[in-house]
């Protein structure tokens, strides 16, 4: 008999790994229970992206989510924290590569002209998707600062939220 109570959480099936690969590189990996096409859509359709990108435990409100997902297109995300000031925090950049449903590359320009470059790949694995997110920072100090500020700390929770969206999307595709 299982010693856990019914309300006790169980270990998640899909684990998010975060690894510093070099002085300037951070790589996040996770397998999602859905086809690459659906996972890619969750990253590229604003109405889906806004449902999972912000870690709920951070207390942030996503005020706006503008995404023109095409090569040369721009994105802008504006957040507000309950303890924050009157001005929202903004994250923005430019899409460098858009290859449905296998690859996205964008710049992160809010830190000045030399922000990190993010590459996300979506690899088909049967009915699942191996997602690898690779952040290349302009310097060791920039990555150190990102880790110290906690801005890299919510990715596991964020990807759990994405898992929930993918299950919902997958179920709706199966019904249609």
């Amino acid at each position: 008999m299982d010693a856990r109570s019914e309300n006790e959480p169980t270990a998640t099936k899909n684990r998010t790994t975060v690894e510093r690969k070099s002085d300037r590189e951070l790589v996040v990996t996770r397998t999602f229970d859905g086809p690459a096409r659906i996972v890619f859509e969750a990253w590229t359709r604003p109405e889906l992206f806004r449902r999972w990108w912000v870690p709920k435990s951070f207390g942030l409100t996503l005020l706006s989510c503008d995404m023109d997902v095409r090569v040369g297109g721009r994105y802008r995300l504006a957040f507000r924290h309950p303890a924050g000031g009157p001005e929202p925090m903004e994250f923005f950049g430019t899409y460098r590569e858009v290859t449905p449903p296998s690859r996205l590359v964008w710049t992160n320009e809010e830190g000045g002209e030399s922000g990190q470059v993010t590459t996300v790949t979506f690899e088909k694995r049967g009915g699942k998707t191996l997602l690898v997110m690779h952040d290349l920072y302009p310097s060791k100090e920039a990555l150190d600062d990102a880790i110290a500020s906690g801005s890299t700390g919510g990715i596991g929770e964020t990807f759990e939220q994405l898992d929930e969206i993918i299950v919902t999307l997958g179920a709706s595709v199966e019904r249609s």
Side-chain angles (χ1 to χ4, degrees):
M1 180 159 193
D2 195 335
R4 288 185 310 239
S5 75
E6 285 185 85
N7 297 328
E8 202 171 322
T10 58
T12 50
K13 292 188 301 187
N14 297 325
R15 197 168 64 98
T16 301
T17 61
V18 180
E19 185 178 356
R20 187 171 187 156
K21 293 284 191 176
S22 73
D23 285 349
R24 298 176 43 219
E25 296 172 286
L26 192 68
V27 177
V28 181
T29 305
R30 186 178 180 115
T31 298
F32 290 94
D33 294 328
R37 174 183 57 78
I38 290 177
V39 180
F40 188 87
E41 282 183 17
W43 281 79
T44 57
R45 291 179 42 198
E47 69 274 14
L48 298 175
F49 187 86
R50 69 182 312 124
R51 290 171 49 193
W52 65 269
W53 183 250
V54 181
K56 291 175 184 168
S57 69
F58 281 32
L60 297 171
T61 301
L62 181 58
L63 303 172
S64 66
C65 175
D66 301 317
M67 300 167 67
D68 180 11
V69 185
R70 61 182 174 84
V71 174
R74 312 240 337 127
Y75 73 89
R76 179 175 296 276
L77 307 170
F79 301 90
R80 174 151 297 132
H81 191 280
E87 294 300 314
M89 299 179 296
E90 291 193 341
F91 298 91
F92 52 90
T94 304
Y95 291 98
R96 288 187 173 175
E97 265 184 72
V98 178
T99 309
S102 60
R103 185 175 169 93
L104 285 172
V105 180
W106 67 84
T107 61
N108 297 274
E109 299 168 13
E110 61 277 353
E113 60 188 66
S114 60
Q116 85 256 27
V117 174
T118 301
T119 301
V120 181
T121 58
F122 307 81
E123 182 183 321
K124 297 174 187 177
R125 294 262 174 108
K128 299 183 179 195
T129 302
L130 172 64
L131 183 140
V132 178
M133 184 169 76
H134 180 268
D135 281 326
L136 180 61
Y137 286 78
S139 66
K140 176 186 182 305
E141 294 75 26
L143 177 52
D144 290 345
D145 289 348
I147 292 169
S149 73
S151 66
T152 61
I155 198 69
E157 180 181 355
T158 298
F159 280 4
E160 287 173 18
Q161 293 168 185
L162 175 55
D163 251 338
E164 294 169 15
I165 298 296
I166 290 166
V167 167
T168 303
L169 291 172
S172 67
V173 166
E174 288 172 8
R175 285 193 301 264
S176 57

